[in-house]
Amino acid sequence: MGNKKKYYKKKKEYWMKIALFFAKVAFYEKEVPIGSILIQKNKIIGIGWNHSIKDHDPTSHAEIIALRNGGKYLKNYRLLNSTLYVTLEPCLMCLGAILNSRIKTLVIGTSKKKKSNLLYMNEFIFNNKKFKIKVIRNILQKECSSLLKNFFLNKRNNVF
């Protein structure tokens, strides 16, 4: 692997570790442990972790919260040239928000075992223009997957 590829891999792992930190915050708040960060120009402009249980809000997913924070930071609903890191492949609701935000890249820690929601992302048209988001998968996959498995194991064993 060339030095450039190693650098970009380490950079993605660095950002995913921060998203994992927020997933751990959700874990300790007894929420499904998913974390997300939004990056633009090597700067975090949005953070999020699941709040659905605490907020009694089915839309309080990590990705939605990070996108909302990014929009407020930029004072724009279009989050052009930004990258969203999320520890688990987004649900359909979050994919809709991600597509509408016009981010450039989506980086996923771990994917779902069943049919992927990403099949819906192949190609979208906004204002008669084709729009495609670059998707990168399995960054720190073992760590992201392990956190989710531990959460649901604790849930089944009534640890929470």
Side-chain angles (χ1 to χ4, degrees), residues 34-96:
I34 300 170
S36 186
I37 60 169
L38 185 65
I39 307 297
Q40 191 181 68
K41 297 179 184 173
N42 273 329
K43 182 178 181 181
I44 297 174
I45 63 169
I47 63 167
W49 63 91
N50 279 359
H51 286 221
S52 295
I53 297 167
K54 183 177 81 175
D55 291 351
H56 310 289
D57 181 355
T59 67
S60 286
H61 289 198
E63 303 93 315
I64 302 285
I65 295 167
L67 293 171
R68 284 178 185 156
N69 288 331
K72 287 177 186 173
Y73 178 86
L74 295 175
K75 296 179 178 26
N76 195 337
Y77 71 98
R78 290 191 176 169
L79 308 172
L80 303 172
N81 299 312
S82 60
T83 300
L84 184 69
Y85 286 78
V86 63
T87 57
L88 177 65
E89 179 182 317
C91 70
L92 286 175
M93 174 186 68
C94 291
L95 279 178

Side-chain angles (χ1 to χ4, degrees), residues 141-156:
Q141 192 272 334
K142 287 180 184 174
E143 294 90 332
C144 294
S145 180
S146 177
L147 184 63
L148 284 158
K149 286 176 185 172
N150 287 335
F151 175 80
F152 287 108
L153 182 64
N154 286 339
K155 219 43 176 163
R156 278 190 298 276

